[in-house]
Amino acid sequence: MQNKSIAQLAADLRLRTYSSVELTKHYLERIERLDPRLNSYVTVAADSALAAAERADQMLKAGDAGPLTGIPIAHKDIFCTQGIKTSCGSRMLDNFVAPYDATVVEKLAAAGAVVLGKTNMDEFAMGSSNETSFYGPVKNPWDETKVPGGSSGGSAAAVAARLCAVATGTDTGGSIRQPAALCGITGIKPTYGRCSRWGMIAFASSLDQAGVMARSAADAAFILDEMAGFDSRDSTSADVPVPDYVDALDNDIKGLRIGLPKEYFGEGLDARVGAAIQDAIKEYERLGAEIVEISLPNSPLSVPVYYVVAPAECSSNLARFDGVRYGHRCENPEDLEDLYKRSRAEGFGAEVQRRIMIGAYVLSAGYYDAYYLKAQKIRHLIADDFKRAFEQVDVIMGPTSPTTAFPIGDKMDDPVSMYLNDIYTIATNLAGLPGMSIPVEPVDGMPVGLQIIGNYFDEARLLNVAHQYQHATHWHQAAPTGFE
């Protein structure tokens, strides 16, 4: 059952080949047996999952079911889920049980999806390896000595190991696409504003976007069909019509213009990863696409710009975690100042503290113009590069990550080296564009991701382009040994 697509599972549930309760129990058994090897879940919500599965079976029996009714999914532990702990991978929120559902959670529940639990993540989504979590690192199911990527590493590992049918993730600088690449799955970050951020705990408000982590573009399309759309509760939500993503999957891509940025194929890219990406591009040529060399001249500035803008916003957003209203509180504070200092020092890990300090620094009176304002100006230049590129091409392609998954602990003492893992993904967030990663031919048995970037609100084209490649190849069907 765990190797079937969402469409196949939905068909089986309608035919009563098995019930949603049976399917849910199957996944819960796999989580109990296999997840101790990976640490991909923070919370397993077995009781509420089985109750939701029973309701789904009643809907299926009554003929009142949609394509996601009874399908077991997981949520990244950054989405508020009523009655279930929402920790954001942090000690600060280890005791926080959300009193409401995030809009994404609410929409998927309304569609009949069954929530198996909450997946592990880098603390407050700050990390590229899923090693900063208060609950310990997540392991890559393809090689348990290596990282799954981050910050949505728990979701990526759970999907790759078939511990859920599909999972949600969030992407601030590559946190869906990079772990999708390292774990050999499909991940899509929609256009900024396409999916509601209401109830999604904020890291960097102008960059964060909810998205989907699945085994295929077709599965991702089913989920995005339900997640996307305007939400009046989110001031950054875009009131733009949502197309039928599933309906667009089979469109012909003959004549598609693919832009290859020369900046994405230079120094820093592992030669074997680059070769795998070029082979995937050749497959697109065989499918009738046209290759156009383009330039994104300001993209090399993406990493320094991001690590000014994102920490500035995180410094502001995380000020609310003060030990007073909710979250971790130190024991026996001497006074209010001691309460603030010790609660935050104990509640936040080293990477979160580092980014808060950087953010406070670049926003300070003496450095705002020199750093934050200048970074925002360069951000506009990066967005303008994409605007000019999309006058020539339909999509942009390149590597998702410069290397395959690296060993756990390998980069924890070198933050800059860790930050460079997102060198190809960050610009998409700075510009607010949609992007996705799909698996291509592995290197030495480890997954490689091809990144596809689209124009604003063009997720349907991205999913279509990805689906056509997956229809012609089989890399997305591979499963890590021991998790088949």
Side-chain angles (χ1 to χ4, degrees), residues 262-275 277 300 399-404 406 411 417 419-424:
K262 61 182 182 181
E263 292 82 7
Y264 287 13
F265 292 90
E267 186 181 352
L269 176 63
D270 184 296
R272 297 169 301 169
V273 170
I277 298 301
T400 306
S401 178
T403 66
T404 57
F406 49 90
K411 300 187 179 186
S417 176
Y419 297 163
L420 289 173
N421 280 284
D422 297 328
I423 192 167
Y424 303 128

Side-chain angles (χ1 to χ4, degrees), residues 276-329:
I277 298 301
Q278 293 292 354
D279 286 344
I281 300 297
K282 289 174 185 175
E283 181 62 39
Y284 274 107
E285 287 187 281
R286 285 191 285 271
L287 293 171
E290 174 191 347
I291 307 304
V292 181
E293 184 175 304
I294 62 170
S295 178
L296 300 172
N298 291 293
S299 62
L301 299 173
S302 297
V303 173
V305 168
Y306 177 86
Y307 283 101
V308 171
V309 174
E313 295 185 11
C314 109
S315 178
S316 175
N317 279 324
L318 270 59
R320 72 194 69 178
F321 303 109
D322 54 13
V324 176
R325 288 157 290 189
Y326 54 85
H328 175 75
R329 178 182 294 186

Side-chain angles (χ1 to χ4, degrees), residues 78-238:
I78 199 169
F79 292 99
C80 288
T81 43
Q82 187 173 8
I84 303 174
K85 182 171 80 169
T86 301
S87 73
C88 236
S90 178
R91 184 185 183 189
M92 181 61 79
L93 291 177
D94 183 49
N95 62 1
F96 177 64
V97 176
Y100 64 95
D101 282 334
T103 297
V104 164
V105 173
E106 187 179 85
K107 284 190 167 190
L108 291 174
V114 173
V115 178
L116 296 168
K118 308 291 287 297
T119 56
N120 205 345
M121 56 178 286
D122 279 303
E123 185 181 11
F124 283 101
M126 298 180 201
S128 301
S129 64
N130 222 139
E131 295 175 275
T132 68
S133 171
F134 174 62
Y135 305 99
V138 177
K139 298 175 183 177
N140 191 316
W142 291 90
D143 181 342
E144 292 163 43
T145 68
K146 295 185 177 178
V147 303
S151 64
S152 306
S155 289
V159 171
R162 278 59 170 167
L163 303 185
C164 58
V166 70
T168 56
T170 62
D171 194 310
T172 305
S175 291
I176 286 173
R177 290 159 290 154
Q178 187 250 15
L182 269 50
C183 288
I185 65 168
T186 299
I188 181 166
K189 178 204 91 72
T191 306
Y192 181 77
R194 175 61 96 183
C195 294
S196 174
R197 294 191 308 109
W198 193 81
M200 188 177 93
I201 296 170
F203 161 19
S205 299
S206 75
L207 301 166
D208 299 341
Q209 183 55 211
V212 187
M213 311 189 78
R215 283 169 40 217
S216 69
D219 283 358
F222 277 106
I223 302 297
L224 198 57
D225 263 343
E226 301 297 338
M227 279 176 55
F230 177 69
D231 180 9
S232 60
R233 295 174 293 188
D234 174 11
S235 62
T236 63
S237 181

